[in-house]
Amino acid sequence: MNFQQPNVKNFKRYTVTTALPYANGPIHIGHLAGVYVPADIYVRYLRSTNQDVVFIGGSDEHGVPITIKARQLGVTPQDIVDRYHEIIKKSFEDFGISLDIYSRTTNQVHHETASEFFKKLYDTGKFIEKTTEQYFDEANNQFLADRYITGECPHCHNLNAYGDQCEQCGTSLNATDLINPKSAISGNTPILKETKHWYLPLNEYDDFFKQWILEEHKEWKPNVYGQCKSWIDMGLQPRAVTRDLDWGIKVPLENSEGKVLYVWFDAPIGYISATKELRPDWEKYWKDEETKLVHFIGKDNIVFHCIIFPAMLKAEGSYILPENVPANEFLNLENDKISTSRNWAVWLHEYLQEFPNQQDVLRYVLTATAPETKDNDFTWKDFQTRNNSELLAIFGNFVNRTIVLIDKYYEGKVPECLELTTLDKEIVEEIKVIPQKVAALIEHYKFREALTEMMS
């Protein structure tokens, strides 16, 4: 299909990133519907119009979920990330997600890039140093990272919220916000103990975000814009960029033993380090104002990609900011939330084994049911119906009839076009408009509507 570019702001090139999945488990259909299938559609469209684009992905290997998994299995964190990085990478390749690179945050280039980024912000006085009280597990003699603390969410009262986020309502939290906090390691009630960390003073960027997001990016998806506005309206607070942990990128300062870069500082820099790994001319994809930067993420990552990472880039001073962050909502499975811990998911690598050569069927169904504006539900009944009633009965039948009739009436050769009737001409003109409609929908991240228009 020949796509024609609608009238939009012109960019010389595109940098498209996909959220880095934690390398503590395989990829499931929720990841695909929320991030990777829409991103892949967008990038394939850009390539079809001969745009200069880099498509970046990789594994997030420093999160506390990694250490939790390692502790559960009695192995090292490195064992965990080595195992799951390969599973995830192969799953994406076999499914056909056309990433230019799938990197990992344990790579040396990433450690160097993240350390340099932190050091520049430190050297230019962009951090504040604070000694605060944080939760400490006396039984295990260690400070507790956010994910090692569970308790009641002060907003929706989910009893199993984490110290950094409630996965039920999606609210970003501080561990001290939790009601009745417990150590996920020992089950004990933790105590508060003093520790020193470095913070990014987000409050100093209040006016910047009010202008950049609330005034200049009103075109962002309502769920993204709304969540950002809520955070900005509440007043931004300093955010710690370091943690007391032994797994991660060491803080590159003297007298900082036992401290690493907070995973939400380290992980998005992975987009930059992966591009650096991919291209010697990486800087033009991150530092040229004529480059369009787009982050594809799930709704639980909105605040990190729209506020925290842009604040980091702004503080560093030489990077472009995201032009759009088209975050999707969550995909449920058979009316129940997808859960890794309960093994309630359709795992991509298992699907590929059970349904060989059926990648496009799943891609079609996940696009048709994509949770673009609200949480949506995947059911096997719907999967079956869409395969049989839409792909087979509509699209397949259309192709089959065309081929059969050409064979029956024209000896299998497409006949020469002679004289067009008035009706023929009307149909041809109508068909000409469709690629433009599809292109415009894709450019505005409305992939479900683009698919519907294509099928129509």
Side-chain angles (χ1 to χ4, degrees):
M1 172 174 267
N2 255 338
F3 285 112
Q4 294 182 33
Q5 284 282 77
N7 291 323
V8 294
K9 181 180 176 182
N10 291 321
F11 290 92
K12 274 190 176 179
R13 68 192 68 80
Y14 294 76
T15 301
V16 179
T17 73
T18 53
L20 307 183
Y22 280 131
N24 70 329
I27 289 294
H28 56 63
I29 57 170
H31 296 125
L32 292 176
V35 177
Y36 303 99
V37 169
D40 195 52
I41 293 170
Y42 183 69
V43 168
R44 285 172 183 264
Y45 159 70
L46 292 176
R47 290 176 182 148
S48 76
T49 61
N50 298 314
Q51 300 298 322
D52 179 0
V53 54
V54 291
F55 189 19
I56 305 298
S59 296
D60 181 354
E61 300 179 320
H62 291 139
V64 173
I66 309 293
T67 59
I68 290 175
K69 186 84 168 185
R71 182 182 288 267
Q72 289 171 346
L73 298 181
V75 296
T76 68
Q78 192 66 51
D79 291 332
I80 294 294
V81 298
D82 286 347
R83 176 187 175 192
Y84 286 109
H85 170 75
E86 290 305 321
I87 291 175
I88 295 169
K89 187 171 185 283
K90 187 175 189 306
S91 295
F92 282 145
E93 289 170 354
D94 292 347
F95 187 64
I97 301 297
S98 59
L99 292 159
D100 289 313
I101 185 171
Y102 189 77
S103 189
R104 53 192 307 189
T105 58
T106 53
N107 280 353
Q108 184 64 28
V109 64
H110 176 68
H111 276 247
E112 292 170 356
T113 304
S115 295
E116 289 166 5
F117 199 106
F118 176 92
K119 198 68 167 57
K120 180 172 180 182
L121 267 58
Y122 177 84
D123 290 342
T124 53
K126 297 297 169 55
F127 295 137
I128 55 175
E129 188 179 303
K130 290 203 299 183
T131 297
T132 60
E133 289 188 325
Q134 294 188 9
Y135 283 124
F136 185 84
D137 188 327
E138 292 180 290
N140 287 276
N141 193 36
Q142 69 177 85
F143 283 98
L144 295 171
D146 297 335
R147 287 267 159 168
Y148 277 126
I149 308 166
T150 59
E152 182 180 338
C153 173
H155 301 281
C156 72
H157 300 288
N158 165 31
L159 297 178
N160 296 305
Y162 292 110
D164 62 344
Q165 188 172 52
C166 174
E167 293 191 343
Q168 183 164 291
C169 67
T171 303
S172 184
L173 302 169
N174 288 311
T176 49
D177 295 335
L178 294 175
I179 301 167
N180 299 321
K182 298 287 183 187
S183 166
I185 301 173
S186 65
N188 297 334
T189 300
I191 64 166
L192 287 169
K193 186 175 179 179
E194 284 192 345
T195 182
K196 180 180 72 174
H197 285 289
W198 291 269
Y199 288 71
L200 184 63
L202 296 177
N203 51 300
E204 295 179 8
Y205 300 85
D206 266 336
D207 291 341
F208 162 70
F209 283 115
K210 285 175 183 175
Q211 177 65 33
W212 179 62
I213 295 179
L214 302 189
E215 296 300 324
E216 296 177 17
H217 283 295
K218 292 181 178 179
E219 83 284 1
W220 284 5
K221 292 174 67 173
N223 61 328
V224 177
Y225 186 88
Q227 195 176 129
C228 291
K229 186 176 187 306
S230 175
W231 263 67
I232 294 166
D233 288 348
M234 285 191 299
L236 300 176
Q237 301 299 319
R239 187 87 179 188
V241 298
T242 56
R243 284 289 187 269
D244 292 294
L245 279 174
D246 57 3
W247 174 250
I249 298 175
K250 308 301 181 187
V251 172
L253 300 175
E254 292 182 5
N255 303 317
S256 58
E257 290 76 16
K259 298 185 188 296
V260 299
L261 301 185
Y262 181 30
V263 67
W264 277 111
F265 183 90
D266 139 38
I269 296 173
Y271 302 139
I272 300 169
S273 61
T275 314
K276 188 184 290 188
E277 192 179 339
L278 175 69
R279 301 284 300 251
D281 58 347
W282 68 274
E283 287 191 327
K284 70 182 184 182
Y285 293 97
W286 282 97
K287 299 189 177 187
D288 187 336
E289 291 293 337
E290 293 186 294
T291 297
K292 181 174 183 176
L293 174 60
V294 182
H295 297 308
F296 281 86
I297 58 168
K299 69 176 178 181
D300 53 334
N301 289 344
I302 289 173
V303 69
F304 299 106
H305 286 77
C306 295
I307 292 179
I308 296 175
F309 188 41
M312 291 163 53
L313 297 174
K314 180 76 174 171
E316 199 278 346
S318 67
Y319 287 87
I320 57 172
L321 300 175
E323 193 70 25
N324 212 310
V325 186
N328 275 354
E329 301 291 294
F330 289 152
L331 185 73
N332 297 320
L333 173 60
E334 302 286 356
N335 296 306
D336 192 5
K337 184 177 178 180
I338 291 175
S339 170
T340 301
S341 60
R342 292 188 290 117
N343 196 31
W344 183 249
V346 177
W347 303 108
L348 178 56
H349 68 294
E350 292 181 353
Y351 172 89
L352 294 169
Q353 291 169 1
E354 295 289 329
F355 297 92
N357 303 315
Q358 297 298 312
Q359 294 92 330
D360 286 346
V361 177
L362 183 58
R363 175 188 284 263
Y364 176 85
V365 174
L366 292 179
T367 304
T369 59
E372 290 183 352
T373 55
K374 61 183 177 61
D375 290 359
N376 214 341
D377 197 44
F378 176 94
T379 68
W380 284 113
K381 182 66 177 174
D382 181 65
F383 176 88
Q384 184 181 40
T385 300
R386 289 187 184 278
N387 182 75
N388 296 343
S389 301
E390 295 175 22
L391 289 177
L392 185 63
I394 297 174
F395 183 68
N397 192 39
F398 166 70
V399 173
N400 183 62
R401 280 190 177 199
T402 304
I403 293 172
V404 167
L405 291 174
I406 290 171
D407 184 58
K408 182 176 180 180
Y409 293 109
Y410 301 103
E411 298 179 346
K413 297 177 182 177
V414 177
E416 184 182 349
C417 180
L418 300 172
E419 188 174 341
L420 294 177
T421 67
T422 301
L423 180 59
D424 290 336
K425 292 175 182 176
E426 288 176 5
I427 292 171
V428 168
E429 288 306 308
E430 193 173 327
I431 288 172
K432 282 182 181 178
V433 176
I434 292 172
Q436 296 174 43
K437 286 183 179 178
V438 173
L441 290 167
I442 289 174
E443 292 223 348
H444 289 89
Y445 315 104
K446 296 180 178 180
F447 304 106
R448 286 174 63 174
E449 290 183 46
L451 183 67
T452 300
E453 188 68 42
M454 195 85 169
M455 287 297 284
S456 295

